[in-house]
Amino acid sequence: QVNTTPAASRAYSSGAKKVTLIPGDGIGPEISAAVQKIFTAASVPIEWEAVDVTPVRGPDGKFGIPQAAIDSVNTNKIGLKGPLMTPVGKGHRSLNLALRKEFNLYANVRPCRSLEGYKTLYDDVDVVTIRENTEGEYSGIEHEIVDGVVQSIKLITEEASKRVAEYAFQYAKNNNRKKVTVVHKANIMRMSDGLFLRCVRDVSQSFPEIQFEERYLDTVCLNMVQNPGKYDVLVMPNLYGDILSDMCAGLVGGLGLTPSGNMGLNGALFESVHGTAPDIAGKDLANPTALLLSAVMMLRHMELNQYADKIERAAFETIKESKYLTGDLGGKAKCSEFTNEICAKL
């Protein structure tokens, strides 16, 4: 197995590649177990290293990710993560946010494709949203100026904008996509979105073979629900990407079917973006598709394409036959039945 990814190749010298597994909360452990079972059935040459990310109190009194989990991802450079619960209230930082910051996960990539056999309002959706993941409206800089007046800072830097733009065009090139659309509101936020737009424009010059267009966020939302076929790869700042990626997921059947990957400077983290679904946790009712497809995305990132294709085919066929669909897909099957059917196909 030759891996041509330069930074990663060093970590993969031995036969089986180690991957950090963060099972998560709620239905997380069940769907993680389902993915592991399917990977075993497909004889994927990776070794799982499960870690616990339950927050621990640090020396400064704040809660954060345990050092062992950080070390694991830093060593393995690749992780797969189930859903994590963030309690609402003071003193709790979002773990997802903390993971993004810790590993410099600068680009969130979400491919949304219509699945045969699962009918939604749209048949041929095939868009990829690429979202800047570290700054923008989610930089977390907020303060109260006087009583009843709050200011929130939207931070845009050239470095982060260029980085995500380069990733988007490179992704389009590597995956034979024809077009990249930058989504912005530079007509209103002239400096911040203006800078983002300028960076993407600059990067587009280096990729003449890829068609490039600029569109306002509201226009994209309107067109996306009228005719999703208009778009291919979309690149945008953090908040717009958060909203648009979920909207695109809705076009193909929701977050239970959408994979997600976060590309970072020192590693990559693939995750299911749905919630922890505490109401069905432990009842063998959860749908592992999102986490499974994220794991397939991870295999492609590791250049284990034959395994990725094999597993993806088995999953798509199972959904297409619609004999073993979980409750969220309108079926009556248990998580284990759906999983076993995929394993049988493998």
Side-chain angles (χ1 to χ4, degrees):
Q1 289 160 20
V2 185
N3 189 304
T4 51
T5 329
S9 52
R10 290 189 294 279
Y12 296 152
S13 45
S14 65
K17 303 168 180 181
K18 252 193 178 169
V19 170
T20 302
L21 177 67
I22 301 170
D25 306 317
I27 57 171
E30 296 164 62
I31 57 176
S32 299
V35 169
Q36 285 177 289
K37 190 174 178 180
I38 291 165
F39 269 47
T40 305
S43 335
V44 181
I46 67 172
E47 189 187 321
W48 299 100
E49 183 173 8
V51 295
D52 182 15
V53 291
T54 310
V56 289
R57 190 190 284 270
D60 58 354
K62 282 189 179 152
F63 283 90
I65 308 165
Q67 193 57 44
I70 293 174
D71 294 343
S72 173
V73 181
N74 277 333
T75 307
N76 299 332
K77 300 274 184 268
I78 298 222
L80 181 68
K81 170 180 107 46
L84 292 176
M85 189 194 67
T86 301
V88 178
K90 278 206 164 65
H92 289 286
R93 281 180 60 213
S94 156
L95 267 181
N96 294 316
L97 211 63
L99 286 165
R100 266 177 223 158
K101 285 240 160 38
E102 180 64 48
F103 301 113
N104 263 315
L105 301 172
Y106 63 87
N108 174 266
V109 184
R110 283 212 224 162
C112 290
R113 262 169 67 192
S114 301
L115 294 187
E116 247 188 298
Y118 183 63
K119 192 81 192 89
T120 61
L121 295 170
Y122 304 88
D123 287 329
D124 44 3
V125 182
D126 186 5
V127 294
V128 181
T129 57
I130 296 179
R131 154 192 180 190
E132 200 291 314
N133 223 2
T134 62
E135 52 178 34
E137 298 81 355
Y138 293 0
S139 55
I141 311 168
E142 294 190 310
H143 43 257
E144 190 164 22
I145 300 175
V146 293
D147 269 0
V149 181
V150 172
Q151 190 175 48
S152 178
I153 307 264
K154 166 169 170 167
L155 185 76
I156 299 277
T157 65
E158 188 173 323
E159 187 188 12
S161 305
K162 278 226 158 88
R163 203 162 53 194
V164 75
E166 273 160 15
Y167 184 83
F169 278 95
Q170 199 56 57
Y171 179 94
K173 191 176 169 176
N174 294 350
N175 293 280
N176 302 317
R177 315 290 295 210
K178 306 277 178 288
K179 182 170 79 168
V180 171
T181 305
V182 60
V183 184
H184 67 94
K185 284 296 285 181
N187 53 332
I188 309 290
M189 288 177 255
R190 289 166 190 243
M191 290 182 79
S192 53
D193 280 15
L195 175 60
F196 186 84
L197 180 58
R198 200 169 71 239
C199 290
V200 184
R201 246 180 226 161
D202 289 350
V203 171
S204 74
Q205 304 292 313
S206 318
F207 294 86
E209 69 280 24
I210 304 222
Q211 201 190 329
F212 170 60
E213 61 176 20
E214 303 166 8
R215 292 288 179 270
Y216 292 135
L217 171 70
D218 40 353
T219 312
V220 172
C221 289
L222 174 75
N223 289 334
M224 188 66 80
V225 294
Q226 286 185 328
N227 174 16
K230 274 191 170 167
Y231 299 111
D232 191 351
V233 174
L234 301 145
V235 63
M236 62 216 104
N238 209 332
L239 171 76
Y240 310 157
D242 190 9
I243 297 166
L244 212 56
S245 59
D246 272 20
M247 189 175 92
C248 293
L251 303 179
V252 298
L255 295 177
L257 295 172
T258 318
S260 169
N262 298 287
M263 304 305 153
L265 295 176
N266 20 5
L269 189 64
F270 298 83
E271 59 182 350
S272 58
V273 278
H274 54 67
T276 53
D279 51 325
I280 60 165
K283 296 181 184 165
D284 195 18
L285 296 171
N287 177 3
T289 306
L291 190 63
L292 181 63
L293 293 179
S294 300
V296 163
M297 214 172 148
M298 173 184 87
L299 289 177
R300 295 208 168 108
H301 177 75
M302 296 167 77
E303 306 201 343
L304 294 170
N305 291 1
Q306 64 195 81
Y307 296 99
D309 296 344
K310 199 161 73 169
I311 292 171
E312 188 178 59
R313 241 191 339 266
F316 286 171
E317 273 170 26
T318 305
I319 291 170
K320 191 176 164 182
E321 286 166 11
S322 53
K323 199 162 120 194
Y324 296 99
L325 292 182
T326 49
D328 59 317
L329 298 179
K332 294 209 166 33
K334 290 183 153 51
C335 174
S336 53
E337 293 170 329
F338 177 74
T339 305
N340 291 339
E341 181 59 24
I342 295 176
C343 291
K345 286 197 172 10
L346 289 163

